[in-house]
Amino acid sequence: MFKQFYGLTFNPFDKEIEIDKLFKSNDLNELEQRLRYMLDNRGIGLIVGEPGTGKSTCLRRFAENANKSLYKVCYLPLTTLTVKDFYQGLCTMLGTTKRYRKVDMFFEIQSSINSLYYEQRITPVFIVDEVHMASTAILDDLRILFNFKMDSANPFVLILSGQPQIRNKLMLTSSYPLKQRIIMRYSMQGLTKEECRDYLSSRMKIAGCSREVFTPEAVLAIFNISGGAPRVINNIATAALMYSAAKRADSVDEEAVFQANIELGA
């Protein structure tokens, strides 16, 4: 109902928005620069951020924009696995033969990576999402699995992405060798107050509404409640639009935002 009321062609705060329409926040720009650095230099990178700050969205844009003739992107969000299951997941993404024994899968994975990089001239890019949920055993094996030519070559890009708890795991003695090998780190900050205003306006405009629907007070309330996390902003903005449309209000004010926050149980 709110889409028709505000002249929107689709829900502007839906997570399925096309990557070319993503809001170019400072976070997105900074992370893209660091990911380009990873493609040029290869090795292991770490992205950290609170839930909803846009880690997966940025990685989706990165993966979809990667030149398919130069890079093979493998995305693995399942980190609550045994080490053996983790190896099998990598084998599946690489299209290699699954083996029963871990040692056989180890050599299958390394052989496939070497073949892609040195023979096919394609750099394999591994994105391990939700890495904060991975066991220390998987973190230990990551260091071993991605050790090539006695740790003298990086025929791969490995991006680890997760919530801040991963920092504590990397501080453990067993994970310290992996931490030492991380050549790029970035911490997602979320949107600033000014970016929150621009984000709301740009998303509404993309969906067909060029006028300012959210009042300055509503924007400030959304920012304060969300802490700048895009996912939370999307949820509150959608609920506030629904509330305001039901009241036949031309704009979304501070009251609508507070009511939306109550409805969402935040």
Side-chain angles (χ1 to χ4, degrees):
M1 180 180 70
F2 76 87
K3 290 187 291 184
Q4 181 179 4
F5 185 78
Y6 291 110
L8 303 169
T9 57
F10 60 89
N11 179 1
F13 303 102
D14 191 281
K15 68 178 182 180
E16 295 182 356
I17 190 168
E18 298 174 7
I19 60 169
D20 61 333
K21 295 179 180 178
L22 291 176
F23 179 73
K24 297 286 285 185
S25 67
N26 182 65
D27 255 352
L28 182 60
N29 290 329
E30 289 290 333
L31 182 54
E32 283 188 342
Q33 290 182 29
R34 284 162 171 76
L35 290 173
R36 283 196 292 268
Y37 169 83
M38 292 300 301
L39 292 182
D40 292 338
N41 294 274
R42 302 180 310 282
I44 304 175
L46 175 66
I47 302 170
V48 175
E50 296 288 350
T53 50
K55 300 183 298 298
S56 296
T57 299
C58 291
L59 289 171
R60 175 167 63 92
R61 178 183 172 90
F62 167 69
E64 292 188 19
N65 283 337
N67 189 325
K68 302 301 186 294
S69 64
L70 298 176
Y71 305 100
K72 178 179 176 61
V73 179
C74 301
Y75 176 76
L76 183 63
L78 295 173
T79 52
T80 55
L81 303 168
T82 65
V83 173
K84 183 177 179 181
D85 288 337
F86 187 77
Y87 273 51
Q88 288 178 334
L90 291 176
C91 286
T92 297
M93 290 187 297
L94 288 169
T96 62
T97 304
K98 293 181 182 179
R99 305 289 186 180
Y100 178 75
R101 298 193 308 165
K102 172 184 165 182
V103 64
D104 293 328
M105 287 189 287
F106 175 91
F107 288 115
E108 282 279 356
I109 293 169
Q110 285 217 333
S111 176
S112 178
I113 292 173
N114 279 322
S115 175
L116 281 167
Y117 185 76
Y118 292 109
E119 298 174 17
Q120 302 177 48
R121 304 301 180 186
I122 295 175
T123 302
V125 179
F126 300 90
I127 300 174
V128 180
D129 210 349
E130 308 296 344
V131 72
H132 61 281
M133 300 177 68
S135 66
T136 54
I138 288 179
L139 295 179
D140 292 345
D141 266 64
L142 278 174
R143 173 181 61 87
I144 299 169
L145 184 61
F146 289 91
N147 183 329
F148 289 82
K149 296 185 177 180
M150 296 184 180
D151 205 23
S152 65
N154 288 329
F156 65 89
V157 174
L158 173 61
I159 305 297
L160 307 177
S161 175
Q163 296 177 25
Q165 301 94 294
I166 184 58
R167 294 195 184 105
N168 296 329
K169 289 188 175 182
L170 290 173
M171 289 298 293
L172 298 174
T173 302
S174 60
S175 300
Y176 194 68
L178 173 62
K179 181 182 177 182
Q180 285 184 321
R181 287 165 171 77
I182 295 173
I183 65 170
M184 183 282 290
R185 293 173 174 82
Y186 186 70
S187 178
M188 302 289 287
Q189 302 299 315
L191 304 181
T192 65
K193 182 170 63 177
E194 292 74 20
E195 286 179 327
C196 182
R197 177 197 63 216
D198 295 340
Y199 175 79
L200 292 167
S201 296
S202 67
R203 293 293 282 260
M204 292 291 287
K205 186 176 182 179
I206 288 171
C209 181
S210 57
R211 68 182 182 87
E212 295 295 333
V213 173
F214 293 88
T215 67
E217 294 77 15
V219 172
L220 181 59
I222 291 174
F223 174 75
N224 289 335
I225 293 171
S226 68
R231 184 189 300 158
V232 183
I233 293 173
N234 290 342
N235 292 339
I236 295 175
T238 299
L241 284 170
M242 294 174 65
Y243 176 85
S244 299
K247 296 192 68 173
R248 313 294 293 177
D250 289 335
S251 61
V252 175
D253 59 15
E254 188 177 25
E255 178 194 355
V257 174
F258 289 142
Q259 289 296 327
N261 191 41
I262 292 172
E263 290 179 13
L264 293 171

